[in-house]
Amino acid sequence: MLRKIRIVLATIFLLGLTWLFLDFTGTAHAWLGWMAKTQALEAILALNVLVIVLLAVLTLIFGRIYCSVICPLGILQDIFGWLGKKGKKLPYSYSPEMRWLRYGMLAVMVVAFLAGIGSLVQLLAPYSAFGRIVTLIFQPLWQLGNNVLAGIAERADSYAFYSVDVWLKSLPVLIIAVATLVLLVVLAWRGGRTYCNTICPVGTLLSFLSRFSWLRIQIDTDKCHNCSLCARNCKASCIDFKNHRIDYSRCVVCGDCIDKCKSNALSYKPYRGKVKMVEAKANVDPTKRSFLLATAMATTAALAQDKLVDGGLAAIQAKQSPMRLTPLTPPGSLSAKNMATRCTGCQLCVSECPNGVLRPSNSLMSLMQPEMQYDRGWCRSECTRCSEVCPAGAIKPIDAVDKSSIQIGHAIVVVSECISAKGEAECGNCERHCPAGAITMVPSDPDDDLSPSVPAINEAACIGCGACEYVCPVRPLSAIHVEGHEVHKKI
């Protein structure tokens, strides 16, 4: 019963968080966005005091149920571990705590955070690792499946599905996601919660509290026959059956040991110190244990295809993004520094961006953090999706009115490439599509009104949305592009 309760609630969290990353319609966040905000590291970076206090209280009362119910990477480990132990009669064994490695990884993450090395923080953050895996590996497969259904629906004159572009957002980050997934599979297949209890800094952080949890799985020495079934089925390798000890800093309260014990020697109850337990006169009612863990778990739960054709007749050369001197960060991120110190690179904003503007950075210092490019779309003034879904406070919530007055960069014209300035054609696309009215076509020769026109930028009015860069017909690099600002400002 205990194991079933944990599996049901963990499944709800895993499916809900996965759907947040897979969804490209924007509907999932309204129902499931709160799940992303319950992630520990993201709550700390966002200074979400309510979630931080709630997770701390839950851990002090129930133990590390966060790792077995809320953390999607932990749940993913359980799935791989379950697949790996199939066919193995006794898959695990007790191993002492590797403190030097656990605390070493936590220290590395803290130092990296203080030093502003965001890419290293993101490599170690569990929710970020899960986000990379889903966004870079599984979301394209999901979209391809959707496109197949859209093709079938189109032939049946149905609009139940619509086709979406499937494209590679970042090759380096895809490689990192694949490597993370392989590492996770290998470690969980062989040793269960090895990653969770040796590498994950969030697990180590919670272990400081779980050592003092009020409710713990305990061994009744009078009933225990030293059969080792509990230790052999403990995926956290934290049960020393010979000495009747449990390492509560690594125990994730999965209930597997209680489920496997044939002598009812294990129970989940308030901890009363290192006192030998005496067998009660009446048999312990297992339904009480089930109800207690159910209450704990229920409380926790409350918390492309690219189409580069014109009418099917002429191939269009793909647009390329320029090398920007200053990268563009989304409206609401305040500054490049705020993005670097708060963003965990979870890819939720990237997966949710409906205009194909956000993608993981390939720069070493900001690797995996979102940056803006305008080769597939532009940042529309009415869209605030990224600010709505960010769980870490790297992108502050804004509305459409705020967004229209936030200057994240300014446009720059490369006159030598502009087809209008060269007299090849009367263009003016950038002027017509600028939502801020910051572009005006003026004569290239001030003394000759009939001279070829050239775009003139009013930098005080330009907000850096990228509409001009996107609609510019010049290929592969636009004749007008946006340079980012280190610090955003209101205009």
Side-chain angles (χ1 to χ4, degrees):
M1 178 61 71
L2 299 177
R3 183 171 176 271
K4 289 179 181 178
I5 294 170
R6 188 258 306 171
I7 290 175
V8 169
L9 294 175
T11 301
I12 292 172
F13 262 87
L14 181 63
L15 293 179
L17 289 166
T18 302
W19 179 238
L20 276 178
F21 288 96
L22 295 180
D23 174 51
F24 51 82
T25 65
T27 58
H29 179 75
W31 298 95
L32 304 172
W34 62 272
M35 287 188 174
K37 299 184 186 302
T38 62
Q39 302 306 303
L41 181 60
E42 283 66 26
I44 293 173
L45 293 176
L47 300 178
N48 193 333
V49 178
L50 178 62
V51 174
I52 295 171
V53 172
L54 183 59
L55 291 179
V57 171
L58 284 173
T59 306
L60 285 171
I61 295 175
F62 303 116
R64 273 178 59 183
I65 56 174
Y66 171 90
C67 298
S68 58
V69 172
I70 298 177
C71 177
L73 200 70
I75 301 168
L76 209 58
Q77 289 178 73
D78 287 345
I79 295 174
F80 296 143
W82 175 74
L83 293 173
K85 75 177 185 179
K86 294 188 72 174
K88 299 177 183 176
K89 189 175 181 180
L90 298 172
Y92 308 124
S93 61
Y94 171 75
S95 62
E97 178 187 11
M98 299 176 67
R99 291 193 175 187
W100 64 273
L101 182 56
R102 296 181 71 189
Y103 298 149
M105 298 304 292
L106 178 61
V108 167
M109 186 172 188
V110 172
V111 171
F113 175 75
L114 295 177
I117 309 176
S119 54
L120 189 53
V121 174
Q122 293 148 34
L123 281 173
L124 297 175
Y127 181 66
S128 301
F130 176 80
R132 287 193 298 273
I133 292 170
V134 177
T135 302
L136 277 298
I137 301 175
F138 296 124
Q139 190 188 53
L141 299 176
W142 178 267
Q143 292 173 334
L144 285 172
N146 169 82
N147 289 350
V148 171
L149 294 176
I152 296 173
E154 183 180 358
R155 288 176 175 80
D157 293 327
S158 171
Y159 297 95
F161 299 91
Y162 62 90
S163 182
V164 295
D165 286 344
V166 182
W167 51 288
L168 180 61
K169 295 180 173 67
S170 171
L171 180 58
V173 180
L174 173 61
I175 294 173
I176 293 173
V178 172
T180 303
L181 180 60
V182 171
L183 176 65
L184 197 69
V185 170
V186 171
L187 291 178
W189 194 282
R190 292 171 58 87
R193 286 271 181 164
T194 303
Y195 182 95
C196 189
N197 282 327
T198 57
I199 299 176
C200 178
V202 174
T204 303
L205 194 62
L206 291 174
S207 71
F208 290 114
L209 299 178
S210 64
R211 296 175 192 272
F212 308 103
S213 61
W214 179 53
L215 296 171
R216 311 185 197 183
I217 295 177
Q218 301 172 60
I219 304 174
D220 187 333
T221 55
D222 291 336
K223 290 184 178 181
C224 180
H225 298 153
N226 284 4
C227 66
S228 80
L229 280 177
C230 56
R232 295 291 184 175
N233 286 279
C234 177
K235 56 197 170 191
S237 301
C238 66
I239 301 179
D240 181 3
F241 75 96
K242 294 181 180 178
N243 297 306
H244 301 107
R245 293 197 187 104
I246 298 176
D247 183 354
Y248 297 112
S249 71
R250 290 184 290 162
C251 176
V252 294
V253 199
C254 65
D256 285 356
C257 55
I258 296 177
D259 187 59
K260 293 293 182 180
C261 182
K262 297 180 179 179
S263 58
N264 281 335
L266 292 171
S267 59
Y268 181 61
K269 58 164 80 170
Y271 184 69
R272 296 176 181 174
K274 298 181 179 180
V275 179
K276 180 180 177 180
M277 290 186 289
V278 181
E279 183 176 356
K281 295 180 180 180
N283 291 332
V284 177
D285 185 358
T287 59
K288 291 183 179 179
R289 292 198 304 265
S290 300
F291 175 77
L292 191 56
L293 190 55
T295 302
M297 298 301 187
T299 304
T300 305
L303 267 157
Q305 274 173 312
D306 294 332
K307 298 182 178 179
L308 300 177
V309 295
D310 183 11
L313 299 176
I316 299 176
Q317 186 177 11
K319 185 185 285 286
Q320 294 179 7
S321 296
M323 293 293 294
R324 307 184 201 275
L325 298 178
T326 303
L328 285 159
T329 58
S333 60
L334 305 181
S335 65
K337 182 179 180 181
N338 181 71
M339 177 64 72
T341 55
R342 288 184 180 270
C343 178
T344 62
C346 72
Q347 310 304 310
L348 186 55
C349 59
V350 174
S351 67
E352 286 282 332
C353 180
N355 304 309
V357 171
L358 291 179
R359 62 204 62 182
S361 170
N362 293 331
S363 173
L364 183 60
M365 292 305 293
S366 60
L367 186 65
M368 297 176 284
Q369 293 182 352
E371 67 177 14
M372 304 174 73
Q373 300 293 352
Y374 301 129
D375 55 320
R376 288 180 169 271
W378 58 282
C379 192
R380 298 180 180 273
S381 301
E382 71 277 8
C383 176
T384 57
R385 187 88 61 83
C386 59
S387 72
E388 294 168 1
V389 303
C390 179
I395 309 175
K396 302 294 184 182
I398 57 173
D399 57 28
V401 176
D402 292 331
K403 183 177 180 179
S404 63
S405 61
I406 297 176
Q407 188 179 65
I408 64 172
H410 65 277
I412 296 176
V413 179
V414 183
V415 178
S416 61
E417 298 297 329
C418 178
I419 61 175
S420 181
K422 291 191 294 185
E424 296 179 359
E426 287 294 332
C427 180
N429 264 8
C430 52
E431 179 189 35
R432 287 192 298 274
H433 289 85
C434 178
I439 303 177
T440 305
M441 300 299 292
V442 299
S444 55
D445 184 353
D447 300 323
D448 183 4
D449 291 340
L450 299 179
S451 62
S453 57
V454 61
I457 311 297
N458 180 359
E459 291 189 10
C462 178
I463 59 175
C465 67
C468 56
E469 181 178 328
Y470 176 64
V471 300
C472 179
V474 178
R475 297 292 193 277
L477 293 174
S478 297
I480 184 171
H481 71 274
V482 180
E483 279 294 337
H485 290 173
E486 286 282 349
V487 180
H488 300 175
K489 66 178 182 179
K490 282 270 195 176
I491 59 173

